[in-house]
Amino acid sequence: MTATIALVDDDRNILTSVSIALQTEGFLTRVYSDGETALKALIDNPPDLAIFDIKMPRMDGLELLRRLREKSQIPVIFLTSKDDELDEALGLAMGADDYIAKPFSQRLLIARIRAILRRAELTQAPEGTETEAQGPLERGRLVMDPARHRVTWGGAAVTLTVTEFLILETLAQRPGIVRTRNQLMDAAYQDDIYVDDRTIDSHIKRVRRKFREVDPEFDAIETLYGAGYRFSEE
């Protein structure tokens, strides 16, 4: 099935050039020049993935993401300026799956889109597939169901993005074993896509925050300074 990508940017040159590049690669595209118009369309008719510019008038990308996450968990990639480190961190903390700095390579953007869509397919496998046959992953109070992309902690549902799910799954597969940031990058970002350590750290912080919303005492993800992270099974 052909994937549909929504583009939200007030720069019409970027909308046009990226849309053409994506269509050349076989994607369907929808374009929106402001966040307010895009929000209703994204909720009423969700695409497979959305790309937001952060700096937009009236409703910027951060506000658009915040309001979208109240209704939907579709994958989102942010377009940022090179100096927008704070915005990048905020975007990841609010539930973006990735970000790419302007000016950017369209080849790199397309590679990241394909990687995120593949991860989404793996974590949303239909009933009867090999993924479901493996059964849920249970580690103490944590239960992860890859076939349905569901996570619970002590019976309470925790909503994770695709990237968050894969990072947590990598940690939980072998409790007590330290996973380096590079190992977590490999699990969450395939096809030789590089992300820096700060991106992984931001994902971990966001996962912890989500679990602490259902359990303020959550401390199952440990930081080993200079080494990486590990999951501690209760």
Side-chain angles (χ1 to χ4, degrees):
M1 184 176 64
T2 303
T4 298
I5 312 298
L7 308 172
V8 188
D9 198 313
D10 62 323
D11 186 328
R12 293 193 176 274
N13 290 329
I14 289 180
L15 285 179
T16 300
S17 62
V18 174
S19 181
I20 291 173
L22 292 176
Q23 290 172 16
T24 300
E25 293 294 321
F27 295 106
L28 299 176
T29 61
R30 304 175 194 152
V31 298
Y32 307 96
S33 58
D34 68 87
E36 291 181 345
T37 301
L39 179 61
K40 186 177 187 303
L42 293 172
I43 293 173
D44 291 346
N45 189 17
D48 296 288
L49 181 145
I51 301 171
F52 299 167
D53 183 29
I54 285 187
K55 302 296 186 183
M56 294 186 291
R58 293 194 293 176
M59 182 188 295
D60 65 16
L62 293 172
E63 177 64 12
L64 175 58
L65 178 63
R66 185 189 70 78
R67 295 177 63 176
L68 177 66
R69 281 290 176 256
E70 295 175 354
K71 302 287 186 180
S72 172
Q73 292 296 318
I74 63 171
V76 171
I77 298 175
F78 265 137
L79 300 181
T80 74
S81 299
K82 282 189 174 181
D83 297 330
D84 288 340
E85 292 186 2
L86 178 60
D87 286 343
E88 291 168 3
L90 283 173
L92 291 173
M94 294 167 62
D97 291 86
D98 209 339
Y99 66 86
I100 186 168
K102 297 179 181 179
F104 56 88
S105 159
Q106 290 184 350
R107 179 181 176 185
L108 175 60
L109 177 61
I110 290 169
R112 292 194 178 185
I113 290 170
R114 292 193 187 280
I116 290 174
L117 290 176
R118 278 198 296 274
R119 295 202 304 272
E121 290 174 0
L122 288 173
T123 56
Q124 296 173 7
E127 295 185 7
T129 64
E130 180 180 353
T131 302
E132 184 178 12
Q134 297 173 359
L137 175 68
E138 300 184 17
R139 296 289 186 266
R141 302 178 67 190
L142 175 70
V143 178
M144 303 186 72
D145 185 348
R148 297 177 177 83
H149 191 66
R150 293 175 183 168
V151 180
T152 61
W153 177 260
V158 180
T159 301
L160 301 180
T161 66
V162 172
T163 303
E164 294 165 359
F165 189 99
L166 289 175
I167 289 175
L168 178 60
E169 184 180 35
T170 301
L171 291 170
Q173 283 172 343
R174 300 187 65 190
I177 300 299
V178 178
R179 299 288 192 176
T180 66
R181 289 174 176 82
N182 284 336
Q183 289 173 324
L184 296 177
M185 288 178 197
D186 290 342
Y189 295 89
Q190 302 172 10
D191 295 338
D192 298 322
I193 296 174
Y194 173 78
V195 296
D196 60 25
D197 289 352
R198 184 169 51 81
T199 300
I200 297 299
D201 292 342
S202 294
H203 283 306
I204 292 289
K205 289 178 181 177
R206 188 169 71 249
V207 170
R208 284 173 172 155
R209 177 179 56 79
K210 289 184 175 183
F211 275 86
R212 286 170 181 163
E213 288 176 356
V214 301
D215 177 8
E217 303 300 319
F218 175 83
D219 61 356
I221 299 176
E222 299 181 7
T223 302
L224 285 302
Y225 293 99
Y229 298 95
R230 70 182 174 196
F231 182 86
S232 295
E233 185 175 3
E234 294 183 337

